[in-house]
Amino acid sequence: MGMGGAFVAVADDATAVYWNPAGLTTGAFFSLLADQTTTRTRPDPTRLDGPGTDRESIFVGLSTNTTALSYYRLRINQIERPSHPAPIDPARKDQWGEATVRSVVTHNVALTGASLLYPGVSVGSTVRYVSGSYGIGAGNQGSTTDVWLRESGDLERRNQHRVDMDVGLKVGGERLQVGLVARNLLKPELDAPDGSSVRLGRLIRAGLAVRPVGPLLVAADIDLSEFSTVNGDRRNVAIGAEQWFGTWLCVRGGARINLEGGDDDAGIVGAFGLSVLLTSGLYVDGQLTRGRGDVEQGWSIAGRVGF
């Protein structure tokens, strides 16, 4: 994320389970990683009654060059407000209009396998058991966005169990790599108690990574398919770079943009990240994300061991 999300052709540790399963073959023989990422989106931060989205992911993974076992939890909470302006008389709560609150939570247990087909050509696949839930409800008139997003966990919902699959391809050598990943191949659907449903959108994403000189890496990703989320349609382009200083410090930066726009669109979103070597094989990673006008704000922190 510190590279703006340009990582499909780069991933080579336990996070390859998500970014590109084929990347396991090009990385460390052993990788153990724990990561938490949080993102907050407020399209109109000046309005207390505006729409908004909160996202959170927690990832724990253990991998070798051929296999990986991982668990990750994804949560997206969203509140949609009517598009009319704020009420003339704030004391008249009946003028605020009704808000729609949505919450999607998935727990993913994933088994990944990867293999080297030919020199420079790797393939990988992930089978995931998905335990998920989808809740939807009406917000109280006059409640703020932050209050409803905090309380969205109280929405009525029921647990559902699905199976999904991701596949990946990675081609190239030390200086140039190309990656391709397809996620949510089975497009599992989650139902809410009121009979509505949400489908986890299929995503096909391509990436390119180049090492022009020394420890400098430049990467770019593009979504080849539009996919739907509770936040609307998305199709992202991302570009990023990282530079190692010796073996103990890495600095990253990047940016991405959603080509489809949408209600929570933050325009160009920039990112900055660091990796610090604490001791042999043990790293701490962190990143900050900011959209134009602070529409989107996010952070990640991770600890990883690799040999």
Side-chain angles (χ1 to χ4, degrees), residues 79-256:
I79 183 169
E80 300 171 352
R81 288 281 186 178
S83 59
H84 61 69
I88 297 175
D89 181 3
R92 290 278 306 281
K93 292 186 177 181
D94 60 299
Q95 298 181 39
W96 289 71
E98 188 176 79
T100 300
V101 184
R102 308 175 192 271
S103 177
V104 176
V105 178
T106 63
H107 300 266
N108 302 262
V109 178
L111 179 63
T112 303
S115 60
L116 189 65
L117 291 183
Y118 306 100
V121 181
S122 302
V123 295
S125 61
T126 297
V127 176
R128 289 186 284 116
Y129 162 75
V130 183
S131 175
S133 64
Y134 175 45
I136 183 171
N140 287 332
Q141 293 178 344
S143 294
T144 65
T145 299
D146 288 344
V147 168
W148 264 98
L149 287 173
R150 286 197 301 268
E151 296 178 351
S152 60
D154 297 331
L155 290 171
E156 183 183 2
R157 62 180 74 216
R158 61 185 178 87
N159 289 332
Q160 299 150 75
H161 308 284
R162 303 287 188 265
V163 175
D164 205 357
M165 186 176 183
D166 312 322
V167 296
L169 171 70
K170 201 170 185 181
V171 179
E174 183 178 351
R175 291 294 180 184
L176 174 67
Q177 291 186 326
V178 177
L180 182 68
V181 65
R183 303 191 194 112
N184 300 336
L185 287 182
L186 304 183
K187 297 198 298 183
E189 188 174 59
L190 299 176
D191 302 318
D194 69 350
S196 61
S197 62
V198 63
R199 186 176 294 277
L200 306 183
R202 181 181 298 158
L203 172 63
I204 301 175
R205 189 177 179 98
L208 172 70
V210 180
R211 296 187 183 275
V213 59
L216 174 64
L217 171 70
V218 180
D221 278 13
I222 183 170
D223 290 334
L224 301 182
S225 59
E226 175 186 299
F227 64 103
S228 298
T229 72
V230 293
N231 307 301
D233 294 335
R234 303 191 70 84
R235 191 164 68 88
N236 292 327
V237 171
I239 185 168
E242 70 172 26
Q243 173 73 49
W244 279 93
F245 298 91
T247 59
W248 68 276
L249 175 65
C250 180
V251 177
R252 299 181 179 87
R256 61 174 167 80

Side-chain angles (χ1 to χ4, degrees), residues 56-70:
E56 182 186 52
S57 68
I58 297 173
F59 177 92
V60 179
L62 173 68
S63 70
T64 69
N65 284 136
T66 59
T67 58
L69 179 64
S70 61

